[in-house]
Amino acid sequence: MNDFKQKNLGSLFVTQPLKGQHALITGGSRGIGAAISNALAALGANVSLLARDNKTLKKQSDYLATEFGTNVFYTSTDITNEKEIESSFAKSVNANGPIDILVNNAGIGKSMPFHKMDLEFWKTTLDLNLTGTFLCTKQVYDTMRERAYGRIINISSTVGLRGYPYIAAYTASKHAVIGLTRTLALEAVKKGITVNAICPGYTETDLVSEAIDSIAKNSGRDKTNIKTEIENMSPMGRLVTPEEVAESAAWLCLPSSASITGQAIVIAGGSVM
Ligand code: NDP
């Protein structure tokens, strides 16, 4: 490698820039979280996956071990349950060492007109999307400060940046995640910790197919038409892929991304600008 490349383009020329680092991904068993675990494993990280369903966790863990030779740990965890979170983070640290990278990805996005929404619906969304992000971040933050290194990535959404009808709880939770991201970024920056949010538009995962099923059930409309309508809400005329979101998350973890913090990065084909 010549001097210019080594000095100025450092991490682009390292084969596995995250080798030896420990990345924990909540909701890492499928969808966007699984794609992020693939990207981080490909860059050499050891990976811990937390989600509720053991079967999908095992399937994704087996994939990472086979495909990338990753040291992978998983444990069933409900990210709305503080005790389970505490125990699962302790087990993950035991298996893979201190956590360098935390991806707060587990989330739900159910719709409900505001006039029909009760407190339970509201709390279910906020407990996972917002308080879950807070609780998981608390688990890693002190150690990241002590070690003067960390990458925290919060998966928000385009709904974290603008209003949409019928998803008040989801929209409020994702706006709040961006507020938390921006504030913590300022508190953490001198300690070598970056905190960023990623804001995908409609992405090809179970979350969107379940939303399409629910709209079809409530309206009697055809699922293919609903999907086309959602695709056409994006100027690029298609859904985002989980891999496109994952590569942005991976980029934020590179050593050369140390100056990127407090950002809400939109991946949505021009839907929000
Ligand atoms: P999926 O529904 O495909 O996957 C959700 C993941 O979160 C699964 O691994 C699921 O596993 C886990 N999860 C759900 N509830 C809990 C819980 N209580 N405790 C622990 N884990 C849980 O969703 P996506 O991949 O689409 O979404 C991932 C993130 O991206 C979410 O925060 C979502 O809001 C955000 N997002 C998604 C968009 C989209 O269009 N798909 C657009 C913008 C943002 P299990 O069920 O086994 O617990």
Side-chain angles (χ1 to χ4, degrees):
M1 194 188 301
N2 69 33
D3 277 356
F4 174 80
K5 282 183 184 168
Q6 199 155 28
K7 196 159 162 241
N8 299 304
L9 300 170
S11 50
L12 291 179
F13 287 86
V14 177
T15 319
Q16 291 206 308
L18 305 183
K19 192 148 191 66
Q21 293 196 28
H22 177 188
L24 186 146
I25 301 134
T26 69
S29 56
R30 55 192 168 86
I32 291 172
I36 292 174
S37 74
N38 292 340
L40 298 181
L43 295 180
N46 304 322
V47 169
S48 296
L49 305 176
L50 309 187
R52 292 164 304 176
D53 182 56
N54 255 317
K55 245 165 89 181
T56 39
L57 279 169
K58 181 175 181 335
K59 194 169 162 216
Q60 176 60 13
S61 298
D62 289 349
Y63 177 77
L64 292 175
T66 312
E67 190 68 21
F68 305 105
T70 308
N71 291 329
V72 51
F73 173 79
Y74 70 88
T75 182
S76 171
T77 317
D78 185 340
I79 298 294
T80 64
N81 182 317
E82 188 176 5
K83 289 255 168 322
E84 284 187 30
I85 292 172
E86 270 172 24
S87 153
S88 294
F89 272 72
K91 287 181 198 159
S92 302
V93 169
N94 207 28
N96 276 332
I99 294 162
D100 301 282
I101 298 165
L102 169 66
V103 184
N104 286 306
N105 164 79
I108 43 168
K110 299 213 184 308
S111 61
M112 179 73 71
F114 187 80
H115 65 276
K116 292 189 179 165
M117 191 187 299
D118 60 16
L119 181 59
E120 199 186 330
F121 183 96
W122 172 265
K123 280 174 98 172
T124 302
T125 306
L126 272 284
D127 280 355
L128 179 59
N129 295 3
L130 178 59
T131 308
T133 297
F134 164 75
L135 290 172
C136 292
T137 303
K138 288 290 280 180
Q139 287 297 313
V140 301
Y141 191 59
D142 287 348
T143 309
M144 284 181 174
R145 276 169 57 85
E146 280 159 24
R147 298 174 73 224
Y149 185 82
R151 295 280 198 270
I152 299 171
I153 299 172
N154 298 324
I155 306 302
S156 178
S157 167
T158 48
V159 314
L161 293 164
R162 48 156 291 192
Y164 288 81
Y166 310 124
I167 48 171
Y170 188 44
T171 308
S173 72
K174 294 297 189 181
H175 271 71
V177 163
I178 292 178
L180 170 64
T181 301
R182 288 174 173 154
T183 294
L184 191 59
L186 292 174
E187 291 186 27
V189 68
K190 289 256 172 64
K191 291 286 181 187
I193 303 166
T194 68
V195 190
N196 288 288
I198 293 184
C199 302
Y202 284 107
T203 305
E204 191 104 42
T205 69
D206 294 345
L207 187 144
V208 167
S209 44
E210 283 160 15
I212 292 171
D213 289 349
S214 151
I215 296 168
K217 194 172 153 212
N218 293 332
S219 66
R221 289 177 52 208
D222 178 65
K223 284 187 198 172
T224 314
N225 289 343
I226 299 166
K227 187 168 182 222
T228 307
E229 207 170 280
I230 291 176
E231 286 166 349
N232 288 335
M233 286 164 79
S234 164
M236 72 176 169
R238 66 164 174 86
L239 300 182
V240 174
T241 69
E243 290 70 30
E244 288 170 328
V245 181
E247 292 210 17
S248 297
W251 166 67
L252 288 170
C253 296
L254 294 177
S256 52
S257 299
S259 300
I260 304 165
T261 196
Q263 301 306 300
I265 297 164
V266 179
I267 303 170
S271 304
V272 174
M273 59 174 76

